[in-house]
Structures are given as structure tokens and as C-alpha cells.
Amino acid sequence: MTAYIIRRLLATIPVMIVVALFVFLLLHLTPGDPAAVIAGDDASPAEIDGIRSKLGLDRPIWEQFVIYVLSLLRGDLGTSIFSNLPVTTLVMQRLEPSVVLALSTLVVAVLFAIPMGVLAAWKARSAIDRIVMGFSVLGFALPVFLVGYLLIYIFAIELRWLPVQGYRPLSQGVWETARSIILPAFALGMVYMALIARITRASMLEVLSEDYIRTAHAKGVAKKSVLLKHALKNAAVPIVTVIGIGLALLISGVVITETVFNIPGLGRLTVDAILKRDYPIIQGLIILFAGAKVLINLMIDISYSFFDPRIRY
Amino acid sequence: MTLLATADTEPAPAPASGDVILSVRDLRTQFFTRDGTVRAVDGLSYDLERGETLCIVGESGCGKSVSALSVMRLIPEDAGRIVGGSVTFEGTELTDMPEHEMRRIRGNRISMIFQEPMTSLNPVFTVGEQIAESLRIHQGLGGHAAAERAVEMLSLVKIADPRRRAGEYPHQLSGGMRQRVMIAIALACNPKVLIADEPTTALDVTIQAQILNLMLELKERLGTAIVLITHDLGVVAETAQRVIVMYAGRKVEEASVEELFRHPLHPYTRGLMGSIPRRSATGRRSGVRGRLQEIPGIVPSLREEIPGCAFAPRCSFAGERCSREKPPLEPHRPAHLAACWEVARVAATPR
């Protein structure tokens, strides 16, 4: 097992090198001279030359790549063109809200979706099943921003239970953070819940028709235990897979959610950087998101063997 | 169920002399499909005595497995249900028992093992855990005691190195070993009745004998009564004391095993016996019976009500009356019931 984890960690290195290469080329593949692109439309030739030598763009391209990778290895993601602050500093400032939002969404979605899916599978073709599946279709169909504004309207403006927008950092107390993050988490989690509920139902339905479920009943195991112990553990691998895939997909949702709820997180940083063409920030964020995704995949793969003993590495 | 209620359906099974532990009366189980109602079990009655082995024989689709699942009340709710009759275990009616009480009987007083050892064990739990679970549920054993008892059960079903095997998962065991584990699960709580639904069908021939012998040995040791469901008359001859032959959801013949093999009365039973390879006294196949006799035709659809004898379309003895009137199940010889209008002609015809 440990050997497998080490092997998998080593295998992420080539992946990350390819990502780094892509991110590096991003600047060079953009039409036109990178220095001119960075300098903007109204820059003079002298300014463009200044930028070019400052960023080392006048050196051979392979040399630039090596320098780029070496600085990445030192944890240096570059410097923002506009604010002149290191990208790592900017990221660290914005990291907490995004991580809290992503994890809250994960918890909310899993907590609601798995019981919904199990219930729908157990009571297949019943009214409960149809309600859950209807909710699931709705979750897929409604865009995040619409759900977000709806939730704000109902719970913040009409009922006044929760703040309309903004984020309270953990340093101001967990309760305040939770109050500020619950609506965004639900808005962002809607699609995610729909996805997990659907897969849970499908996977459970398949497992519930297996012979060993009949054996469990024949042993006199209680219905609840048949569902949550005998069936759910067998149904877990596909469920964990979509939880992982979903978590990676959340990244795009985070951008919109953070905008709707005015949360100063990585999503907002990304949007602002793209609008201002602050390439070093964009590049740094891509590397970061790619790394997060690789890590999530690794964790999912490792979790498989926990759920299913037939999977051994 | 009173005698009165059964009187107009069929007589009580022949040897009801001993101590009856499980009694099935006029059991009817139906499945509701898009194409209509399937009468999978259509008025089955039998008594099981303490410690005896009763075989239920018949072709695929004759309702023998469904009758077993009905006794356990394991018919999937959305597919079908018991529509009539009664099942009593130690004098208690099971068919209308609340589910939570029925759960205390399943796997504890009445156990069941299935045809498919490869898929009947849960792949994500160790076999020790799967045995221990029954003990925790029914005998209230703690985690450690149940685990210890599970190891004992594994050695009882003659699995070598039981302590190591207890920690293994089903995919690490062979088919024969998995069926041994199923037997261990079924017998863990020392049940009074074991229903075995084709327990050896999916196994290699050499393993089949081992599993059957194990079941019979444990039956003697623990005093468990066995309902053995099979399509294999060879298995019947080796294991049963009494035999029920089922056709199209009904019992067509019942007798002790010696009586049945010596004097089969129903043409269907004769057909089944003709379909197994036999050897003559000299050890070679005799010339006359050189070919296996197959029963012509197929099992009838159970969707329509069959007015006469369900076997009539396939029966060489069938007369005009057979397709019109249902033959009653009657004793034709001592302790030997058969449902056939032409018993006299069948009995007079040499096999």
C-alpha cells in the first residue's frame, strides 16, 4: 500500500511537468509578442522592451522553460504584473474562503445526496424516488447563479436568516463563517448533489439486486443494516468516483459562486486576473488547480481499496 | 390452518406420523408481471418432521425455489407475494407475522443456502465477519465472542486453517469453500430447519459429493431438518428420506425415497428418472435403455389457468379426461401420493 502511494506520487511528476509546459507555453502561444500582450495596447516600444528583458523573454525558449520550472520548484509562482506582489502571496490571501467553500459544498452535498440516493433506490419507482429524481433533474438544469440569487432572495432578503453576501473568515469565529458560507455552499452544491444522488441511486439499485443482498435478508439482517452496511459499501466505488470528479468540477462553479456571493476567494482572483490579463497569476492558478486535481484523483484511487478488498495495488 | 380448510384441496401428506416442525398448507405464491399473473406456486402442501431430509424435485421453473423463498418470506415485494395458504413453524403462523418478528426467525430458526456460492457472499466483508454477523444479531454475542465462534463454525464445515480463512474475503476462496462458508453462516445459530436451494448445482461434481456429505453429517450432529431443493435425482437418492415431485407449481407425487424410486406413479416422475444416465446390473448400459429418454415439450406457461393436468400436453399416457379435469392428489399405494388420472395404466407399464 505504502509502496503504491509512493509510486503514484512519483507518477504525478510527469503529469505536473506537462501541466507546467502547457502553462509556460500559454504565454507564448497567445497571438503576438508576449511582452506586447503583457504591456497592453497603449505601450511604447521602449516599455515593451523593458518588460521583455525583465521577464527574460529575450532568452532562448528552452532556457526560459528551465528557469520557469526551477522557480516553480522553489515555490515561486511568479509576480503579478499589476500589483507587483508575488503570486503565492496573492493566492494565500484568497485561499481560505475558497477552501472553506469547497469543503462545505462537499460536506453539504454528500450529507444530503447519499441519503437521498439510498432512499430513492430502496423505494424505487415510488413517490419518494420520483421526488428525488425530479430534484436531481432540477439540480442539473438550474445554473449556479440562478440558484444563488434565489437562495439569497428567500433566506437573506425575505426571511433575513443569513447574510446576503460576503465572507467572514474563520478568525472571526466558526459560527460566523458557517453563516456566511451556507448559502453559497448550497448554491454551488446543487449540481453536485444531483450528480451524487443520481449515481448513488443507480449504484445502489444494481447492488440491491445482487444475490448477497438476498443472503443478508435470509440471515435476518435488519433492513437499515442491509442498506447502509451490506449494500452501500458495495455501491461506494462509483459514488466516491463522482464525488472526486465533482470536486474537480467545482472549481469552475467556485468562480461563479464567489462572484454571486461576493466572496474574496481564488475564483474571484482568477476572474480579475483574466480580465486584467495578469498572466503570471493565471499561470500560477492553473498550476495550483491542476495540482489539486491530481491530488484528489490520487486520494480517490487510494480510497477504492478501502471500500472493495478485491482492488489491490 | 385447520384440517377443514385443507380437506377440499388435498389430503394431508402421507407420513404425518412424527413430530412436524414445518408445515406448509395450500401455499400459493404469485408474481405480477406486465404480461399477467404467474402462478409460481399453486397450492403446495407438505410437512417437514424434526431432523428429516425432505427433497423437492422438479425442472427449472416448477416453483420449487419460489416455494422455499415463500417459506422464508423473501419474495421481493415489488415482484410478487404469497396470495394464500399457510406456513407454520413450530405451530406459529409465518405468513402474516410482522416483519421484525420474521427477522428473528430467518437465519436463526430457519436458515437458507442458495445455489450460487460465487455471488451469495458479500464481496466486501471477510467471511468471518459474515458468519459473526448472524451470531451478533440472533445470539447477542459480543464482537470478540462472535468472531471466535465464527472460526469454530469454519472448522465445523471443515475449512482448513479456519483462523486465517476467517480473515479472508470471498474472492480469495474457491466455489466449494464459499458454499462451506454459506453452510457455516446458515448453521451458525443452530437452526431447526435448513432450506437448501440447489446447493450443489453450481459446483464441480467432485465437490458436490463433499458438500452433500457435509450437510448430512452436520444435520445428524445438530439435529437440523433439511428441505433440499434439487433437479438432480441422483442427489435425491443419496440424501432424502422423503421426496416431493413438483410440476407447474403443484405437488404431483410424494413418497419415501425407496418407494418413489421403486414404484414411480406419476408419468412426470418416470420422465425425470428416464432423463438420468443409468447403468444396468452388469455395469454397462443395457441395450434397451441405451439412449437417455427426454421428456418431450416444455414446462407450461404459468400465466394461464390450466384446467386439467398441467403435464397432459407432454404425457404419453394422457387421455381425454386429463386435459379437462385436474387429477386429485390421492394415495395410490401406502404412504404414496400421486396426482394422475392414469395411475393404474402407468403402474402397469414396465419402465
Side-chain angles (χ1 to χ4, degrees), chain A residues 106-120:
Chain A
L106 176 77
V107 170
V108 162
V110 168
L111 239 49
F112 279 81
I114 289 183
M116 282 197 308
V118 169
L119 207 63

Side-chain angles (χ1 to χ4, degrees), chain B residues 244-303:
Chain B
I244 286 172
V245 181
M246 271 185 85
Y247 189 76
R250 303 176 77 97
K251 179 164 76 177
V252 296
E253 188 161 3
E254 174 174 351
S256 70
V257 68
E258 300 85 7
E259 169 71 16
L260 189 87
F261 277 93
R262 223 163 273 159
H263 305 286
L265 291 182
H266 198 283
Y268 177 64
T269 312
R270 288 196 159 201
L272 283 181
M273 288 176 181
S275 335
I276 49 170
R278 276 163 54 111
R279 280 171 182 280
S280 67
T282 56
R284 289 170 46 200
R285 276 191 188 162
S286 65
V288 191
R289 295 196 47 91
R291 269 184 73 88
L292 286 179
Q293 303 296 304
E294 57 176 313
I295 305 174
I298 53 158
V299 186
S301 159
L302 300 175
R303 292 208 171 80

Side-chain angles (χ1 to χ4, degrees), chain B residues 89 94 97 101-110:
Chain B
F89 171 72
L94 299 187
M97 184 179 263
E101 282 178 40
M102 192 63 213
R103 268 205 308 269
R104 286 210 290 267
I105 291 195
R106 283 191 206 118
N108 185 26
R109 317 301 312 280
I110 308 179

